[in-house]
Amino acid sequence: MGSLLNAGSVGFVVIAVLVLTAVGFVLTKRKALASVSGDPRQLHSLPNYYGSFAAMVIAVPALLLTALWMLVQPMLIQNAVIDLIPAESVAEGSSVNLVMSDVRRVADGLDVAVVQGAMTAQAAVALDANETDVRALLADVGVALGSEVSGPVLAAAQKYRVLTARGTSTMAIVVLALALVGMLAAMRISTGTFRARNMVERGILALLILAASLAILTTVGIVLSMLFESINFFRMHPWTDFFFGGSWAPNFRGDSDLSILPLLWGTLYISFIALLVAVPIGLFAAIYLSEYASNGVRSFAKPLLEILAGIPTIVYGLFALLTVGPFLVSVFGRGENGMLGVEWMSGATAVLTAGLVMGIMLIPFVSSLSDDIINAVPQSLRDGSFGLGATHSETVRQVVLPAALPGIVGAILLAASRAIGETMIVVLGAGAIARFSANPLDAMTTITTRIVSQLTGDTNFASPETLVAFALGLTLFVLTLGLNVLALYIVRKYREQYE
Amino acid sequence: MTDMPIEDAGAGARPRKGSLLTQDARTRKRNRAEARFKAYGMIAIGVGLLMLVILLTTIIGRGTGAFQQTFLTVEVELLEAKLDKKGNRDLADIKKVSTFGYAPLMRAAVEAKVAEIGFETDLKPKDMANLLSKNAAATLRNFVLENPDMIGETVEFEFLTQSRVDGYLKDRVTRASVANDKNISAAQLDLVDALVADGSMEKRFNLDFITGSDASDQRPEAAGMGVSMVGSLFMMLVVLALALPIGVAASIYLEEFAPKNWITDIIEVNISNLAAVPSIVFGILGLAVFINYMHLPNSAPLVGGLVLTLMTLPTIIISTRASLKSVPPSIRDAALGVGASKMQSVFHHVLPLAAPGILTGTIIGLAQALGETAPLLLIGMVGFIASNAPETIGEGLMSPNSAMPAQIYEWAKRADPAFYERAWGGIIILLVFLITMNAIAVMLRRRFERRW
């Protein structure tokens, strides 16, 4: 909450910069026109460009500096304050970072207390941990703390508050000064011969490049965020056990077995069943729609199959849990009451449940990708085959499909990558037990399910049980990336170049 | 080669016996294979469409029940002695009476109703009042706080009944299952039958399911989607405000201005990779960067919106690039010909012409983002009971909330058939939103599409 107060003062700075921008726009435009005695035809660019130039010069450096400052300031302040925490204050089994977050919370709470009027600003500075119960004081204003506030922690929190306030006010002054300097410089340079439009267009190009590089930034962010935590995890848990161990059994005692192999098996098994369902149905549907179907049937069936692709995966997950699961149990389980009279399946969540539903979800994926690829095979090949007397199905089987094979293999790999990364269907439809079993009627868990359960549980964030989720996520990312790259490579390498 | 003797026409060639119009065995076999192949194709399409039909009928069949809820109409005497002891109609005093104070009034009301319909029973008034939802006292209290002048009068009130009663009327709860159920007994079910026969207890359309807030485990009858819909709305606003400008800007750069070098190649490869990354990885990114590093509030729609922006960006970029590519080069050349700069030709001429395609792609991207659940699980939007609708935009963005798919998942986790029904109902609402958005996108595309 205190960080929101900080955000409030940052908000003021941003609004001030924006106001300056608007003022600068108007003033610069007026100055440019005045420099040519009011005749816009004498200007190099349209008058608005002069105003836009001023706006860019004022707003962009100032806002960039604000963003950078707000990103860097907490780190610098943390480094300065962390020295104040004596080593004895760090309790057993805790870490300096946890104490640091306590310090932050106390500092924020004191800010909230001052804002709400529970104490004056001077009283907040003069607090003594031994005299007042700071924890109760903060609880009164709605800030919950996990433990009592000790002397060093309070001192650190006070220093944190002071440094943050000082930093924010310095930033406000510097940013506003920068904006003013920008405005004066823009006004000075805006005369009739100044090539304002070129400058503005260069600035817009820079913004466009920034937007395009956000894609790279996202990928880098994904990899780095998972990499750091994974490294932390591998410091606590041997990587040989993670990649080559045999069981997954997290517990609170600290000696958990955390191996990816059972999860990988579950993931691959479910994806295999999903592909077993989706590939034949999707491929044959695509062949029929592109080769045999009349225009009417095609315009009717294709959109309907696309609807299957647009349904959110939570719907499929619920469908698996509440409809397909009980149906399969009634067929394969329940002893004498079931359809087959066997007791093979005990619970509704099983590999078969999740696999079947995931297959249904992947049908339109495979179908539309294959459809595009089959359509891309030139008609001349088909005509040649017909000319030799082949039936339509023989043409498809022996000419069209081999020609389209690289693309179809690429489509299957993409579908496999989608199946491996799917979360909601397996969270609801597969089980939570990690095991190596070849029985599709057993419950088995997957990588994605465990990521969700390890990160949403009540475990301590710095424990290996929680950090393993980042390692799992990194493995999953690399796996799906590898499949996608492989699909692209196969398509590119083996694709026939027709005319 | 008409002078070639027929005897040399290939080894093993025999003159055909019979007419060309009758098929020999091999041709028949091949034609049968052809018919089988065609049949496989039709079966495949049939299976796909059958799955769609099964899915839709399951959703509609199981979900429409959630829109109806059982209510009991009774007359409640708002005794001044219990509600406003001092008689001043002072709101501060009336507020001091908690829901415990209202319980005796409701017990009396139900007892009076039972006597009115002439039903003989051994049930104690407490058990009779147990037919009502645990939420009922709160609704009565809210009514009294809003209309303090009604104290002392007798008001006819419609109370929500508890989920077992509702389940009995919807055939979820049967006489056989109440034997082990501690929430309801067979005698109470007899009372329910009598009240239904009298007409004071009935199932009717429940608007609170669509507009209300979520409720705790004990009160599935009071759970609603309204607050999570608001959370989803704020997330979509964030996605629209961020993903559309950034996506269009990136596409314009890649399509119009980017030189053909390795940096551009890397950017394009990155975008197509991001489109195929599993959604849970974006959730991990959101957790690590937005929550742990930037300390944004947990479960806030702002964080959800930021994560979904990153997920929707590749979709918008791909569809915007397609729209920009479809504008013919003659437009650009004509703009350059009358003296515009490259930037002006793009922004003043190409972009407006590509706008319908961009809009369609954005709406489809938003529809995909609306249904995403996995990343929201990791940033904390599940396991949270969305009970208060946010009042201001700032509060809407920063205070913890849920989203529609996350709410559905939360209900599915509670393992109560009453909540399962509500999950299906929530799915119906979600699908209505999605169908509307997709229909708007298709209509826009049909209306504004230009064939160059």
Side-chain angles (χ1 to χ4, degrees):
Chain A
M1 271 179 285
S3 57
L4 277 181
L5 288 179
N6 216 12
S9 35
V10 172
F12 278 132
V13 171
V14 167
I15 291 180
V17 167
L18 290 176
V19 164
L20 261 178
T21 314
V23 166
F25 185 99
V26 169
L27 286 180
T28 316
K29 183 170 159 186
R30 224 179 274 176
K31 170 155 191 278
L33 277 174
S35 74
V36 286
S37 326
D39 185 6
R41 289 171 302 174
Q42 311 271 15
L43 287 174
H44 171 268
S45 327
L46 290 172
N48 273 337
Y49 278 110
Y50 292 92
S52 311
F53 173 69
M56 248 174 32
V57 171
I58 298 174
V60 172
L63 291 177
L64 266 179
L65 184 64
T66 316
L68 240 100
W69 195 294
M70 295 316 296
L71 273 176
V72 170
Q73 178 173 286
M75 287 197 294
L76 290 177
I77 296 185
Q78 173 153 328
N79 283 339
V81 166
I82 220 164
D83 299 329
L84 275 188
I85 301 179
E88 315 85 65
S89 284
V90 182
E92 265 299 319
S94 164
S95 80
V96 171
N97 279 327
L98 285 177
V99 181
M100 202 46 227
S101 65
D102 268 340
V103 166
R104 263 200 300 272
R105 220 171 295 150
V106 171
D108 289 346
L110 286 175
D111 281 332
V112 168
V114 170
V115 161
Q116 287 189 358
M119 61 169 121
T120 63
Q122 296 96 313
V125 172
L127 266 183
D128 187 341
N130 296 324
E131 286 177 28
T132 15
D133 186 358
V134 184
R135 188 179 178 200
L137 195 69
L138 291 181
D140 278 340
V141 286
V143 177
L145 287 175
S147 56
E148 294 299 327
V149 179
S150 66
V153 168
L154 185 62
Q158 304 283 34
K159 179 112 188 261
Y160 189 89
R161 287 184 65 219
V162 164
L163 284 180
T164 314
R166 210 180 287 164
T168 314
S169 28
T170 321
M171 176 196 82
I173 297 174
V174 169
V175 164
L176 286 177
L178 194 65
L180 265 170
V181 163
M183 180 163 96
L184 292 172
M187 281 177 66
R188 191 152 170 256
I189 202 171
S190 291
T191 58
T193 52
F194 176 59
R195 298 155 63 103
R197 194 200 68 209
N198 299 47
M199 292 284 129
V200 170
E201 289 188 349
R202 236 190 266 174
I204 295 183
L205 190 64
L207 279 176
L208 295 182
I209 296 180
L210 197 68
S213 44
L214 193 64
I216 302 188
L217 216 69
T218 312
T219 312
V220 166
I222 289 178
V223 171
L224 282 183
S225 62
M226 290 196 290
L227 201 61
F228 278 143
E229 303 287 359
S230 303
I231 292 179
N232 282 343
F233 167 69
F234 285 130
R235 274 198 210 128
M236 290 191 237
H237 193 94
W239 66 272
T240 44
D241 180 56
F242 180 70
F243 283 113
F244 302 115
S247 81
W248 171 274
N251 55 40
F252 293 111
R253 288 189 304 270
D255 60 344
S256 334
D257 291 329
L258 295 170
S259 159
I260 197 178
L261 284 186
L263 309 179
L264 196 60
W265 169 254
T267 307
L268 291 178
Y269 199 176
I270 294 182
S271 311
F272 175 69
I273 294 186
L275 286 178
L276 215 57
V277 170
V279 169
I281 298 182
L283 198 55
F284 270 108
I287 292 175
Y288 186 82
L289 282 177
S290 55
E291 297 282 332
Y292 291 100
S294 62
N295 266 341
V297 170
R298 199 182 145 88
S299 64
F300 165 77
K302 203 156 184 324
L304 282 181
L305 279 181
E306 298 294 321
I307 292 183
L308 273 179
I311 296 181
T313 49
I314 177 84
V315 178
Y316 283 113
L318 215 63
F319 185 61
L321 178 67
L322 296 179
T323 309
V324 177
F327 171 71
L328 285 177
V329 169
S330 73
V331 170
F332 290 112
R334 278 211 229 130
E336 293 136 5
N337 298 331
M339 252 185 248
L340 292 180
V342 291
E343 275 266 14
W344 292 334
M345 195 163 161
S346 49
T349 56
V351 167
L352 198 59
T353 324
L356 279 179
V357 174
M358 211 189 283
I360 298 176
M361 179 194 78
L362 288 175
I363 290 176
F365 201 70
V366 174
S367 161
S368 66
L369 283 176
S370 312
D371 195 58
D372 291 338
I373 295 165
I374 292 177
N375 274 336
V377 174
Q379 191 59 25
S380 55
L381 282 115
R382 294 190 188 88
D383 292 340
S385 172
F386 288 141
L388 290 173
T391 62
H392 204 155
S393 68
E394 282 162 2
T395 309
V396 169
R397 255 182 289 138
Q398 288 162 12
V399 175
V400 176
L401 276 186
L405 197 61
I408 292 181
V409 168
I412 295 178
L413 285 177
L414 284 176
S417 137
R418 181 111 164 68
I420 287 179
E422 180 50 50
T423 318
M424 290 321 294
I425 299 182
V426 283
V427 161
L428 287 171
I433 313 169
R435 66 168 96 149
F436 285 105
S437 162
N439 183 4
L441 298 173
D442 276 339
M444 256 180 264
T445 195
T446 64
I447 297 179
T448 45
T449 322
R450 289 301 102 198
I451 292 178
V452 171
S453 69
Q454 296 305 107
L455 281 177
T456 54
D458 287 330
T459 52
N460 175 15
F461 193 80
S463 67
E465 284 77 26
T466 314
L467 289 180
V468 71
F470 289 98
L472 288 175
L474 194 59
T475 318
L476 187 70
F477 179 69
V478 169
L479 196 58
T480 49
L481 200 67
L483 275 175
N484 291 335
V485 167
L486 185 65
L488 214 61
Y489 171 74
I490 288 184
V491 168
R492 232 175 247 181
K493 180 157 186 235
Y494 293 104
R495 177 179 58 191
E496 305 280 346
Q497 283 293 60
Y498 300 113
E499 39 232 292
Chain B
M1 306 228 279
T2 47
D3 52 347
M4 203 171 185
I6 299 179
E7 305 86 77
D8 288 344
R14 312 187 301 273
R16 281 182 68 91
K17 294 202 180 79
S19 139
L20 199 61
L21 295 171
T22 56
Q23 297 176 346
D24 67 347
R26 195 160 150 253
T27 313
R28 270 201 300 271
K29 205 167 125 200
R30 287 167 64 205
N31 285 341
R32 271 201 303 268
E34 160 84 15
R36 268 201 309 268
F37 196 75
K38 222 168 139 177
Y40 293 154
M42 287 198 286
I43 290 175
I45 295 189
V47 166
L49 295 180
L50 182 69
M51 290 294 130
L52 181 65
V53 166
I54 292 179
L55 201 59
L56 289 178
T57 42
T58 315
I59 293 172
I60 295 179
R62 302 256 208 131
T64 43
F67 290 94
Q68 282 195 323
Q69 210 55 34
T70 315
F71 287 86
L72 176 64
T73 317
V74 288
E75 303 207 343
V76 185
E77 214 181 317
L78 298 169
L79 293 175
E80 191 173 353
K82 288 226 185 273
L83 299 180
D84 188 14
K85 296 202 180 73
K86 295 192 193 145
N88 294 335
R89 299 287 183 271
D90 185 8
L91 262 181
D93 288 335
I94 304 179
K95 270 196 192 153
K96 289 208 189 102
V97 182
S98 74
T99 48
F100 277 125
Y102 287 82
L105 295 176
M106 290 165 48
R107 273 200 291 268
V110 176
E111 214 179 333
K113 171 64 81 174
V114 172
E116 183 189 320
I117 61 173
F119 184 73
E120 303 276 330
T121 177
D122 294 330
L123 286 174
K124 299 201 255 311
K126 191 168 76 106
D127 293 325
M128 283 192 234
N130 201 15
L131 288 183
L132 299 176
S133 156
K134 293 193 174 57
N135 233 15
T139 48
L140 184 60
R141 184 168 175 272
N142 287 340
F143 173 78
V144 167
L145 285 175
E146 277 167 29
N147 308 301
D149 43 316
M150 299 286 267
I151 295 183
E153 318 205 353
T154 309
V155 187
E156 191 176 72
F157 223 79
E158 243 181 0
F159 284 121
L160 207 55
T161 52
Q162 66 144 300
S163 71
R164 293 295 196 276
V165 172
D166 187 56
Y168 180 62
L169 286 176
K170 289 179 184 165
D171 296 327
R172 264 199 321 263
V173 170
T174 59
R175 294 272 173 172
S177 63
V178 296
N180 295 327
D181 200 339
K182 63 172 165 49
N183 283 334
I184 199 148
S185 66
Q188 283 171 316
L189 286 184
D190 294 329
L191 178 55
V192 169
D193 286 332
L195 286 168
V196 170
D198 178 60
S200 10
M201 187 181 279
E202 54 166 5
K203 268 193 311 192
R204 65 165 179 76
F205 178 69
N206 180 19
L207 193 63
D208 264 349
F209 177 63
I210 304 179
T211 57
S213 61
D214 191 15
S216 72
D217 284 9
Q218 312 290 324
R219 310 165 190 201
E221 63 275 2
M225 284 276 278
V227 178
S228 48
M229 276 204 273
V230 172
S232 269
L233 177 71
F234 277 110
M235 282 200 314
M236 289 302 115
L237 283 178
V238 172
V239 173
L240 190 63
L242 287 179
L244 184 59
I246 298 179
V248 171
S251 313
I252 291 178
Y253 174 69
L254 288 172
E255 199 54 38
E256 307 279 341
F257 294 104
K260 294 261 173 277
N261 57 16
W262 62 275
I263 306 182
T264 314
D265 271 342
I266 290 189
I267 298 181
E268 297 195 349
V269 162
N270 256 310
I271 291 177
S272 49
N273 275 338
L274 278 180
V277 165
S279 52
I280 190 136
V281 173
F282 283 104
I284 297 181
L285 172 70
L287 179 67
V289 172
F290 295 129
I291 295 194
N292 282 348
Y293 183 70
M294 288 170 70
H295 298 293
L296 289 177
N298 220 342
S299 317
L302 182 64
V303 181
L306 286 171
V307 172
L308 289 178
T309 304
L310 292 177
M311 283 183 63
T312 320
L313 215 50
T315 316
I316 293 186
I317 290 181
I318 292 174
S319 71
T320 308
R321 283 190 77 177
S323 326
L324 287 172
K325 232 186 275 234
S326 75
V327 175
S330 51
I331 304 271
R332 297 182 182 89
D333 293 340
L336 292 176
V338 293
S341 69
K342 183 111 200 303
M343 188 80 68
Q344 281 171 331
S345 77
V346 168
F347 278 99
H348 297 177
H349 298 276
V350 176
L351 200 55
L353 288 173
I358 297 177
L359 204 59
T360 313
T362 311
I363 295 181
I364 293 183
L366 280 180
Q368 275 177 354
L370 190 64
E372 279 295 334
T373 326
L376 301 180
L377 293 185
L378 293 185
I379 59 172
M381 290 186 105
V382 173
F384 173 79
I385 298 185
S387 47
N388 297 315
E391 322 241 305
T392 65
I393 291 194
E395 208 184 295
L397 285 176
M398 298 294 248
S399 59
N401 203 339
S402 190
M404 277 198 281
Q407 179 76 84
I408 295 172
Y409 173 71
E410 174 66 27
W411 283 341
K413 260 197 332 179
R414 288 187 188 166
D416 181 351
F419 273 118
Y420 285 158
E421 180 196 56
R422 292 192 118 67
W424 288 113
I427 287 181
I428 292 184
I429 298 181
L430 183 64
L431 285 181
V432 162
F433 272 107
L434 288 178
I435 291 177
T436 317
M437 287 169 88
N438 277 312
I440 292 179
V442 167
M443 257 181 1
L444 276 176
R445 190 195 297 171
R446 277 224 189 120
R447 181 134 192 272
F448 290 110
E449 195 176 34
R450 287 175 78 150
R451 300 223 163 268
W452 297 102

